[in-house]
Amino acid sequence: MVKRKGMSVLVCMLLVLTVFAAGCSKGGSGTADSPGGVTEPKPGTDTPAQEQTEITLGYYSDGKSDAKMKELITTFTDKHPNITVKTQSAPYGQFYQKLDTQIAAGKAPDVWLSDGALVMKYAERGTLKDVTEWINKDLNKEDYYGLEFNKDAEGHYWGIPQGIQIGVLYYNKDLFDKAGISYPEDSWTWEDLKLAAEKLTVDASGKTAVDASFDANSVSQFGLTFFSITEGWFSVLKSYGGGILDETNTKSIVDSPENKQAMEWIVDGMNRGIFTDPVDLKSFQSSMAVFPSGSAAMRIGIYARVQAANEAGLNYDVALLPTGPDGKRFAPVIANSWVISAKADDAKAQAAWEWMKFWATEDEVQKEWAALGEAVPVKKSVANSDVFLTSGANPANRQAFLDSFEFAGTLDTNAVWEEWVSKFNENAERAFLGDTPVEETLKKANEDIQKVLDGFYK
């Protein structure tokens, strides 16, 4: 049983709309607020007067997405004149640093945009309202991608996706053409990928990794760039039949034969210079710069990586991630989501839900956000339309992102996700650099991760 410290359960929010409907009267301007804080109905309509509610909405953004978000907020408040929205936005790192401080002080925004990997961290610590009842009442679940990725083991929903990030295989078509290699196919296994990567890895003297005199210490072009849980090792471990946590997300299963086989596949690629290892990555401005710079032929990447590749003018496309030895395939998912603070009172929580519902259900909102190219649209009707599939820019095979939902899963997210990921990375890096054997690495990682889990769940 998962322990949820201080978790509260929301059960009566639907009554708030009834409260809003009280005091119905006709007349007035339809736009100005009354002295009593009640928005008067539009003339000639039966729309009841509604109490004014102000909510604080927090989100992380860059300049372009911030401008679009404010446009959409204006559209929302035009449609909901009884709701006023104050915003708090900042770049990703700053936003979460401030948010954690606000949560600790009991002053979090009423509704905020949560990184999908952190929703369960907030939910299991009692920071969020349960939105299950609202979803069941107001949304047709079949219309959306990703709702299930915010559902806990007991069936409770803790947010609705703002946009979906899902992993696929990116490949540089020019580098494949230059090497005379066929583009990745959906039938590829990880071994097929490695065979192609050998031919696509080039050292300083122009020799590939299939050449006996190839120098793995002076690689100028990598076959695959590989880093992080999301865009690296997790997909490989899962498709080999392994993983990090059991189905309760409270027990480590790292030290398994399947993970050993997957890790040995990874370490072999790094030792031979075919895949970027942690030292290789430090020679670039950032780990994410390797593929857009043309220094790697392939990468595992989420949808957001489209922006950097397009800005670099890369000639590339995407394909499904390869399968493991037994034909299993796995695509990592991050469902960045709107969530409601547990501290929000009933009126603010209801207004926050109206914002979330507006975001999810309005086609125009979904289309305008999709045009930014930041994420796969949440609403299936928009994701499967030309708005997303044929927007004119690379990649051509955007259908691969949608097809990947068939074998997609979360990153074993829980209340201590950041902590256990850190412990795995610490240990894995020693294996990736050849400092410790894989078997020893997994045993130590298993002990360290279980200690983190026990610190919260026992």
Side-chain angles (χ1 to χ4, degrees):
M1 178 65 71
V2 175
K3 182 168 74 175
R4 305 185 184 289
K5 295 182 176 179
M7 182 177 72
S8 64
V9 179
L10 178 66
V11 295
C12 299
M13 293 302 179
L14 300 178
L15 297 176
V16 176
L17 280 176
T18 306
V19 174
F20 282 171
C24 170
S25 63
K26 293 183 179 180
S29 67
T31 56
D33 299 340
S34 73
V38 175
T39 299
E40 295 297 326
K42 293 180 179 180
T45 72
D46 294 326
T47 303
Q50 295 179 308
E51 292 184 7
Q52 281 293 308
T53 303
E54 179 180 275
I55 58 172
T56 303
L57 186 152
Y59 58 94
Y60 52 90
S61 67
D62 57 25
K64 188 168 66 172
S65 61
D66 190 62
K68 177 57 68 178
M69 186 69 78
K70 286 175 178 171
E71 285 180 25
L72 295 173
I73 290 170
T74 298
T75 304
F76 170 73
T77 53
D78 286 346
K79 292 189 175 186
H80 298 270
N82 61 309
I83 299 175
T84 304
V85 178
K86 288 176 58 179
T87 60
Q88 294 181 359
S89 65
Y92 184 92
Q94 295 175 29
F95 176 76
Y96 280 103
Q97 186 176 28
K98 181 178 179 181
L99 177 64
D100 287 345
T101 302
Q102 290 175 310
I103 289 172
K107 296 180 179 179
D110 300 305
V111 54
W112 74 82
L113 174 59
S114 173
D115 186 310
L118 302 179
V119 171
M120 288 304 163
K121 163 188 169 181
Y122 296 125
E124 294 186 15
R125 292 172 188 272
T127 310
L128 305 183
K129 283 191 183 295
D130 182 342
V131 295
T132 308
E133 293 293 330
W134 277 316
I135 286 178
N136 289 339
K137 175 179 176 293
D138 291 342
L139 302 183
N140 179 1
K141 296 173 190 158
E142 298 302 314
D143 291 343
Y144 302 95
Y145 286 118
L147 285 180
E148 68 273 22
F149 300 130
N150 287 323
K151 189 167 67 173
D152 65 19
E154 296 169 353
H156 298 282
Y157 293 89
W158 297 98
I160 62 171
Q162 175 254 17
I164 308 288
Q165 301 295 342
I166 188 165
V168 296
L169 179 66
Y170 284 67
Y171 61 95
N172 184 318
K173 295 171 71 174
D174 286 343
L175 298 184
F176 271 74
D177 291 343
K178 185 178 179 181
I181 299 173
S182 300
Y183 299 150
E185 298 177 358
D186 292 347
S187 60
W188 268 23
T189 65
W190 289 107
E191 288 300 331
D192 292 326
L193 181 147
K194 185 176 281 184
L195 290 172
E198 290 174 346
K199 301 171 185 174
L200 290 157
T201 302
V202 182
D203 68 14
S205 63
K207 293 185 174 60
T208 68
V210 297
D211 193 307
S213 59
F214 169 77
D215 182 3
N217 294 315
S218 65
V219 176
S220 61
Q221 175 184 302
F222 294 92
L224 175 74
T225 182
F226 191 98
F227 61 92
S228 85
I229 176 173
T230 313
E231 301 178 281
W233 47 266
F234 196 69
S235 294
V236 184
L237 267 56
K238 293 288 283 187
S239 57
Y240 268 74
I244 304 299
L245 307 183
D246 70 354
E247 64 276 6
T248 69
N249 279 346
T250 62
K251 181 176 174 51
S252 173
I253 56 170
V254 172
D255 190 14
S256 70
E258 293 82 4
N259 282 341
K260 181 174 181 290
Q261 188 180 4
M263 285 290 286
E264 286 175 341
W265 180 88
I266 295 168
V267 171
D268 171 70
M270 291 183 175
N271 287 344
R272 295 166 58 197
I274 300 169
F275 306 161
T276 51
D277 67 22
V279 172
D280 297 323
L281 294 174
K282 289 178 181 175
S283 65
F284 292 85
Q285 188 174 15
S286 82
S287 298
M288 290 187 285
V290 185
F291 184 76
S293 70
S295 299
M298 293 178 281
R299 69 165 296 172
I300 300 168
I302 56 177
Y303 182 77
R305 307 308 174 218
V306 164
Q307 290 182 315
N310 287 340
E311 287 170 5
L314 220 59
N315 181 23
Y316 74 101
D317 207 344
V318 299
L320 300 184
L321 287 171
T323 58
D326 297 327
K328 185 176 180 180
R329 200 190 309 264
F330 181 85
V333 160
I334 302 172
N336 297 326
S337 298
W338 295 112
V339 297
I340 300 176
S341 170
K343 296 287 187 181
D345 64 29
D346 288 355
K348 290 180 182 293
Q350 180 63 54
W353 174 250
E354 292 301 327
W355 161 256
M356 291 161 67
K357 188 168 65 174
F358 164 80
W359 187 280
T361 60
E362 298 273 350
D363 277 13
E364 197 56 35
V365 174
Q366 291 277 308
K367 289 176 181 176
E368 289 195 36
W369 196 253
L372 288 179
E374 285 195 330
V376 176
V378 174
K379 198 169 185 182
K380 290 181 179 177
S381 59
V382 177
N384 285 277
S385 73
D386 288 345
V387 171
F388 175 72
L389 292 174
T390 58
S391 67
N394 283 330
N397 184 25
R398 289 171 187 249
Q399 185 65 43
F401 292 100
L402 305 186
D403 292 345
S404 294
F405 280 106
E406 291 182 20
F407 43 87
T410 67
L411 303 169
D412 288 358
T413 54
N414 64 5
V416 288
W417 181 81
E418 293 163 300
E419 289 90 336
W420 72 248
V421 169
S422 176
K423 291 299 179 186
F424 181 87
N425 286 339
E426 287 175 15
N427 287 285
E429 183 165 320
R430 287 192 277 272
F432 291 162
L433 295 176
D435 294 337
T436 58
V438 167
E439 192 167 347
E440 182 181 329
T441 294
L442 293 178
K443 183 178 179 181
K444 181 66 164 52
N446 197 63
E447 293 171 357
D448 290 349
I449 291 172
Q450 191 59 53
K451 190 177 294 183
V452 169
L453 298 170
D454 289 347
F456 184 82
Y457 292 105
K458 282 189 176 179

